[in-house]
């Protein structure tokens, strides 16, 4: 076996950061267990001691740690401690899965090309909060979610994969969010699988699959059956 083959075959170490319920985390735990991902969730870290994602990690016997931002005097010191903790697990990929803290450029640049996020909108539309409400209020026909590499610009890094669904006339923020979330659970593990297989890279802000750059929207996820709410 060549050195390159060996590196691709090795299980990737994922460190997942959560602040809330952790349904996206669960999709990674399940994808590792089923073999969809040649990876393991090496640790789950939360800034919120009450995050449901910590319980999901505990149930799966995954080390789960709290690093509470309220115990730090500034963002820089919190991010430094978080960075050290993640590195102590030798992370190949850092996965933001509902992690509700803005990260410093130093932190993000440290993990450049090996840190991803999922955002519940069709980026570049609606960075920030309340994405589904804003899409409905704007009268948009489509909503969705985007997996992207993280750069210092909030929700501004280059897209990897995007799932789009139609907004129905009767949709509320909640029904739309529930349908989009089901798609998140499909596209996020898919993006991570490409990364783990060594197909997906980001260099100097350009995302490539199999050494070819991808469209700026990311790859459009092809789902024939829309999930029900
Ligand atoms: C998801 O909608 C994700 O797109 C956003 O935060 C939510 C996290 O949900 N960034 P969960 O904690 O994974 O269930």
């Amino acid at each position: 076996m060549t050195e390159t083959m060996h590196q691709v075959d090795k299980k990737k170490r994922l460190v997942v950061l959560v602040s809330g319920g952790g349904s996206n985390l669960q999709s990674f735990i399940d994808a590792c267990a089923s073999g969809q991902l040649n990876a393991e969730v090496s640790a789950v870290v939360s800034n919120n001691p009450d995050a449901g994602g910590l319980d999901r990690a505990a149930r799966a016997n995954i080390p789960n740690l709290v690093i509470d931002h309220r115990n730090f005097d500034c963002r820089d010191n919190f991010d430094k401690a978080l960075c050290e903790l993640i590195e102590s697990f030798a992370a190949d990929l850092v996965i933001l899965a509902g992690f509700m803290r803005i990260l410093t450029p130093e932190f993000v640049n440290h993990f450049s090309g090996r840190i991803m996020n999922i955002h519940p909108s069709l980026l570049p539309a609606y960075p920030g909060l309340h994405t589904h409400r804003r899409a409905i209020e704007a009268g948009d026909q489509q909503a969705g979610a985007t997996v992207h590499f993280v750069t210092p610009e909030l929700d501004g890094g280059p897209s990897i994969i995007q799932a789009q669904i139609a907004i129905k006339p009767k949709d509320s923020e909640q029904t739309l969010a529930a349908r989009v979330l089901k798609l998140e659970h499909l596209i996020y593990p898919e993006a991570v699988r490409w990364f783990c297989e060594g197909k997906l890279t980001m260099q100097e802000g350009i995302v490539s699959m199999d050494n070819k750059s991808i469209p700026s929207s990311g790859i459009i996820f092809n789902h024939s059956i829309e999930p029900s709410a």
Side-chain angles (χ1 to χ4, degrees):
M1 189 182 281
T2 66
E3 180 66 15
T4 319
M5 277 171 75
H6 181 70
Q7 281 173 5
V8 171
D9 283 352
K10 205 177 113 219
K11 265 194 183 179
K12 298 288 185 206
R13 297 175 61 81
L14 313 177
V15 172
V16 185
L17 307 192
V18 298
S19 300
S23 69
N24 278 288
L25 162 67
Q26 191 66 53
S27 71
F28 294 114
I29 294 173
D30 295 345
C32 290
S34 73
Q36 182 195 351
L37 286 177
N38 186 24
E40 63 169 35
V41 179
S42 303
V44 172
V45 181
S46 181
N47 64 310
N48 170 15
D50 300 321
L54 293 167
D55 301 327
R56 291 181 190 268
R59 282 199 293 276
N61 292 318
I62 295 167
N64 54 98
L65 305 106
V66 176
I67 177 162
D68 191 334
H69 58 277
R70 292 169 297 191
N71 295 337
F72 290 82
D73 56 354
C74 66
R75 198 176 284 279
D76 271 344
N77 286 343
F78 171 75
D79 278 14
K80 274 184 197 142
L82 182 61
C83 181
E84 278 172 24
L85 185 60
I86 293 169
E87 288 295 16
S88 75
F89 286 97
D92 292 303
L93 180 66
V94 180
I95 297 177
L96 307 183
F99 186 67
M100 302 303 284
R101 295 288 300 167
I102 292 175
L103 295 161
T104 55
E106 289 73 21
F107 179 97
V108 170
N109 289 334
H110 177 89
F111 292 106
S112 181
R114 55 188 187 109
I115 178 166
M116 287 182 194
N117 182 39
I118 190 160
H119 184 72
S121 79
L122 300 176
L123 288 172
Y126 311 125
L129 298 174
H130 310 302
T131 53
H132 300 305
R133 188 193 309 169
R134 288 153 72 198
I136 291 171
E137 283 174 1
D140 291 357
Q141 306 279 307
Q142 300 265 314
T146 309
V147 179
H148 63 95
F149 279 108
V150 176
T151 62
E153 191 192 342
L154 179 68
D155 300 326
S159 297
I160 299 165
I161 183 169
Q162 196 165 75
Q164 306 175 345
I165 53 169
I167 299 179
K168 297 177 180 170
K170 284 193 179 158
D171 261 330
S172 64
E173 191 178 346
Q174 289 71 26
T175 59
L176 183 56
R179 285 210 313 291
V180 171
L181 192 61
K182 288 188 180 177
L183 289 175
E184 293 183 30
H185 301 156
L186 300 178
I187 63 172
Y188 212 175
E190 191 67 354
V192 170
R193 182 172 69 83
W194 294 333
F195 181 90
C196 292
E197 290 174 353
K199 293 162 168 281
L200 176 73
T201 57
M202 182 192 77
Q203 272 163 346
E204 292 172 15
I206 308 287
V207 179
S208 300
M209 272 281 276
D210 297 324
N211 298 315
K212 282 193 222 103
S213 60
I214 65 168
S216 62
S217 59
I219 290 163
I220 303 299
F221 180 63
N222 187 357
H223 57 102
S224 45
I225 303 168
E226 284 205 357
S228 54

